[in-house]
Every structure is written in C-alpha cells, then in structure tokens.
C-alpha cells in the first residue's frame, strides 16, 4: 500500500498535536541530567573532603615533626619515620584511612630549617562519568619551620 505525500503530512501534523506521553519524555530527559549532576556533585564533594583531610593530616604531621626537631626529641634523619607514624596515628577512622595515604617525599632542609612533605591518596569515585577512571589522585604538599632555639610561648585570652 502506497502513501501519498498528503497522508504523510496529515499523520505528521496529528502526531505533532498529540500531547499524550509528553510528561514521560520530559521526565526521562530531566532524570538523566539530574542523575549525572548528582553523581558529579557526590564525586566532587568526596574529592574535596579527601583533599581537606589530607591537608589537615599532613599539616599536623609536619608541624609535629618540626616541633620535635626544635625540642631535640628527634634527629633530622628520623623525620621520615616521625611523619609516617603521625599519619598512621592520626588518620585512623577518619575520612582517609592511614593505609591509603602515601608519603611521596619528605625533605628536611637544615639551611632553611624547614620540613617539607608531599603525600597523595587515591580516592575511589562513586560515579565515574563518561569512561573516567574509578580513582582520582589527590596530592598535597606542606611545610613547617623548625628552630634550634628552645623557646616556649604561651598565650592566655580573657574575655
């Protein structure tokens, strides 16, 4: 059976005027976009939290090691183990487990009297989008100054 051009145009107009099912089509499109947006938001917050936790852990470890160098509790050669021990002790049970944090580099500069550490953690994503890898690396570098003078400073605030 052949259709004339007029019949095809009439069927197309009738299809264009028919509004049944529009909600399902719009809902499907919106739901897909919302799912991608929620997944992206969850992964972004997860990476932000990992970066913040890594920064706090590394900052505390480097500051503590600098204090120990200042007071003479440890020698510069022991700084690597001190930072690693601090990371193990203070990241258990938090956002980042200590066994996931990798201490890449630790430098004790006796001339500048600084302790500088670089660490990273591989964070597993909940919603890897569009063929992304399942993990994303988050890195942080932190430094602290130590001194050869043993001075304690105390501050008291009164409201």
């Amino acid at each position: 059976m052949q259709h004339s051009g007029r019949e095809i145009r009439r069927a197309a107009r009738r299809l264009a005027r028919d509004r049944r099912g529009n909600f399902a089509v719009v809902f499907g499109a919106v739901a897909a976009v919302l799912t991608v947006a929620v997944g992206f938001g969850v992964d972004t917050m997860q990476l932000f939290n990992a970066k913040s936790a890594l920064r706090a852990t590394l900052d505390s470890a480097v500051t503590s090691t600098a204090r120990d160098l200042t007071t003479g509790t440890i020698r510069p050669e022991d700084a690597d183990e001190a930072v690693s021990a601090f990371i193990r002790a203070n990241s258990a049970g938090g956002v980042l487990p200590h066994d996931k944090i990798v201490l890449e580099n630790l430098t004790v500069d006796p001339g500048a009297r600084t302790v500088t550490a670089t660490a990273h953690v591989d964070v597993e994503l909940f919603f890897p989008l569009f063929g992304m890898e399942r993990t994303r690396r988050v890195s942080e570098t932190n430094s602290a100054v130590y001194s050869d003078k043993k001075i304690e400073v105390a501050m008291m605030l009164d409201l």
Side-chain angles (χ1 to χ4, degrees):
M1 174 181 219
Q2 281 187 321
H3 293 286
S4 68
R6 184 195 285 173
E7 291 174 358
I8 293 174
R9 283 191 295 271
R10 194 174 5 178
R13 277 191 231 112
R14 195 172 52 239
L15 182 64
R17 284 191 305 261
D18 190 359
R19 299 294 181 217
R20 294 175 295 175
N22 282 351
F23 179 76
V25 172
V26 171
F27 176 77
V30 170
V33 171
L34 283 177
T35 302
V36 170
V38 167
F40 182 73
V42 167
D43 284 344
T44 300
M45 283 310 299
Q46 184 180 3
L47 290 170
F48 177 78
N49 287 339
K51 178 86 168 172
S52 179
L54 182 61
R55 180 180 299 130
T57 300
L58 194 59
D59 183 44
S60 299
V62 169
T63 302
S64 175
T65 302
R67 185 200 66 226
D68 289 347
L69 286 169
T70 297
T71 60
T73 307
I74 63 169
R75 299 184 322 248
E77 302 83 45
D78 302 328
D80 192 18
E81 181 54 38
V83 168
S84 296
F86 196 90
I87 288 172
R88 278 192 307 275
N90 291 295
S91 62
V95 175
L96 302 175
H98 65 82
D99 59 340
K100 302 283 185 189
I101 299 174
V102 177
L103 183 62
E104 292 177 18
N105 186 23
L106 181 78
T107 305
V108 178
D109 186 351
R113 298 214 173 269
T114 59
V115 179
T116 304
T118 302
H120 75 264
V121 65
D122 292 326
V123 179
E124 190 168 334
L125 302 176
F126 286 125
F127 298 101
L129 301 173
F130 308 115
M132 289 177 11
E133 293 184 26
R134 294 220 34 100
T135 59
R136 178 75 51 91
R137 180 161 288 178
V138 175
S139 297
E140 185 65 34
T141 300
N142 211 312
S143 294
V145 177
Y146 68 94
S147 175
D148 58 353
K149 296 174 180 56
K150 296 178 184 174
I151 299 173
E152 282 194 41
V153 176
M155 180 186 297
M156 187 161 100
L157 298 173
D158 186 10
L159 298 176

